[in-house]
Amino acid sequence: MHELSIVSYVMDQVEDICKEQNLTSVASVTLEIGEVSGVIFDYLADLWEWTAKKRPLFTGSVLRQEEIPGVTFCRNCQRTYATVPQGITCPHCGSQETELITGNEIIIKEIEAE
Ligand SMILES: [Zn+2]
């Protein structure tokens, strides 16, 4: 239930922001989602629609999703490469001493509300 917890988390965050700013209706929320975060975009959109019906602030709101590409840094040769489809093995030197720099995050980029 990874996606459902993401939807709940994002809606909680947006709700807090709307309370602070006296906003009562959300039109859209734009999320930036890492390519290797494991989130299934279609599934997230379905859950958003379903959950929005139970939370008045989000009635009729749209979820927009933008993908952040996965980038991995190699500690051995100090270079970066696209995580997909290479995975943890550096294509430059073959080392596995690598770490993901971007691609695993979920960020609220923009909220349209009134
Ligand atoms: Zn390398």
Side-chain angles (χ1 to χ4, degrees):
M1 295 305 273
H2 185 211
E3 277 81 2
L4 186 56
S5 61
I6 293 167
V7 167
S8 300
Y9 173 77
V10 169
M11 283 188 174
D12 287 349
Q13 300 288 308
V14 172
E15 205 164 85
D16 285 350
I17 294 164
C18 286
K19 261 181 209 159
E20 276 171 28
Q21 303 190 5
N22 288 316
L23 302 167
T24 55
S25 173
V26 173
S28 76
V29 175
T30 305
L31 291 185
E32 289 186 319
I33 299 170
E35 185 180 23
V36 290
S37 63
V39 172
I40 300 160
F41 281 34
D42 286 351
Y43 187 35
L44 199 64
D46 284 350
L47 283 172
W48 182 275
E49 208 177 300
W50 181 74
T51 312
K53 286 177 186 158
K54 300 178 177 183
R55 299 177 70 155
L57 182 64
F58 297 94
T59 304
S61 66
V62 175
L63 178 67
R64 297 200 178 97
Q65 303 176 69
E66 294 175 7
E67 190 175 77
I68 301 173
V71 177
T72 297
F73 173 74
C74 175
R75 278 192 287 265
N76 186 47
C77 69
Q78 311 282 305
R79 291 167 79 178
T80 58
Y81 62 90
T83 309
V84 177
Q86 292 294 334
I88 61 162
T89 305
C90 174
H92 307 299
C93 71
S95 170
Q96 292 195 342
E97 282 187 45
T98 55
E99 59 186 307
L100 191 68
I101 305 174
T102 64
N104 199 28
E105 56 274 82
I106 292 163
I107 299 165
I108 300 172
K109 184 188 178 192
E110 201 181 335
I111 300 165
E112 270 187 289
E114 54 180 30

